[in-house]
């Protein structure tokens, strides 16, 4: 099976010849230091952001809860995403950037292994965002989670990649 990326076909690595799913064999890949950073946004109101910043939400310190939830989620990624490999994660950070009506969430995951940690970074951001939402919903049932994406990755055969370096590239041209 092949899929077109640009003008060149590429093999779908997670499908066998008969079209059924498989976990990719990474046993021959080189062990390298790999890192990925992902981000996401929770949108709320300015009034809720004041409460959040002061640590005065009815459920308590939303950012502390979300940070721990994101770290725990990164470690559980292969239990949540069926074809992800379990990895020896060496570091996870979850950070927040408070705007007037937004909470920016940033997760960075690092390992020394044979496959990347993009899914772990995305999972950390997703669960941290869900935790922020859970902590806010008592005062804002209309909060929205958006823009979850990989910002950058490093290590491995394909080398480094960042959203910034691929900005303006046509679909399928940016290396992943």
């Amino acid at each position: 099976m092949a899929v077109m990326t640009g003008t060149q076909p590429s093999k779908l690595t997670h499908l066998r010849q008969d079209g059924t799913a498989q976990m990719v064999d990474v046993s021959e890949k080189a062990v390298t230091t790999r890192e990925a950073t992902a981000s996401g946004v929770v949108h709320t109101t300015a009034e809720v952001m004041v409460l959040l910043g002061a640590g005065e939400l009815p459920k308590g310190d939303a950012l502390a809860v979300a940070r721990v939830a994101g770290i725990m989620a990164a470690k559980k990624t292969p239990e949540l995403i069926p074809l992800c490999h379990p990895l020896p994660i060496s570091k996870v950070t979850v950070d927040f950037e408070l705007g007037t009506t937004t909470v920016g969430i940033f997760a960075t995951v690092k390992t020394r292994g044979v496959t990347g940690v993009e899914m772990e970074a995305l999972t950390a951001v997703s669960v941290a965002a869900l935790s922020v939402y859970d902590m806010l919903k008592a005062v804002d049932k209309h909060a929205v989670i958006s823009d979850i994406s990989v910002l950058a990755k490093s290590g491995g055969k394909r080398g480094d990649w960042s959203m910034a370096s691929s900005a303006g590239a046509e679909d399928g041209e940016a290396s992943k």
Side-chain angles (χ1 to χ4, degrees):
M1 281 201 156
V3 65
M4 297 301 288
T5 56
T7 58
Q8 300 176 353
S10 66
K11 186 178 179 203
L12 295 176
T13 59
H14 286 77
L15 294 179
R16 296 187 295 197
Q17 283 295 100
D18 66 359
T20 58
Q22 71 174 352
M23 184 179 231
V24 174
D25 181 0
V26 294
S27 60
E28 300 300 318
K29 291 177 77 176
V31 173
T32 63
T33 299
R34 297 161 185 265
E35 185 172 283
T37 300
S39 67
V41 180
V42 177
H43 302 266
T44 187
T45 67
E47 296 79 18
V48 171
M49 288 303 296
V50 170
L51 294 172
L52 176 68
E56 295 177 358
L57 289 169
K59 288 189 170 186
D61 188 348
L63 300 182
V65 170
R67 178 173 282 116
V68 173
I71 292 168
M72 290 174 63
K75 298 188 304 183
K76 297 286 189 179
T77 299
E79 295 174 35
L80 300 169
I81 310 297
L83 301 179
C84 284
H85 292 83
L87 298 172
I89 293 175
S90 53
K91 183 177 184 181
V92 180
T93 61
V94 177
D95 295 300
F96 305 97
E97 185 176 289
L98 303 182
T100 306
T101 60
T102 59
V103 179
I105 303 169
F106 302 88
T108 299
V109 181
K110 188 174 184 179
T111 190
R112 185 148 172 77
V114 295
T115 189
V117 286
E118 297 91 341
M119 293 306 298
E120 288 75 6
L122 287 165
T123 302
V125 166
S126 298
V127 172
L130 288 168
S131 296
V132 169
Y133 179 89
D134 181 50
M135 300 292 282
L136 297 181
K137 71 183 181 191
V139 292
D140 182 6
K141 292 182 183 2
H142 302 287
V144 173
I145 297 169
S146 71
D147 302 317
I148 296 172
S149 64
V150 175
L151 296 179
K153 71 163 217 80
S154 64
K157 181 179 178 180
R158 295 188 191 136
D160 298 354
W161 174 88
S162 76
M163 183 74 77
S165 68
S166 68
E170 291 185 34
D171 290 347
E173 290 183 12
S175 65
K176 292 181 181 177

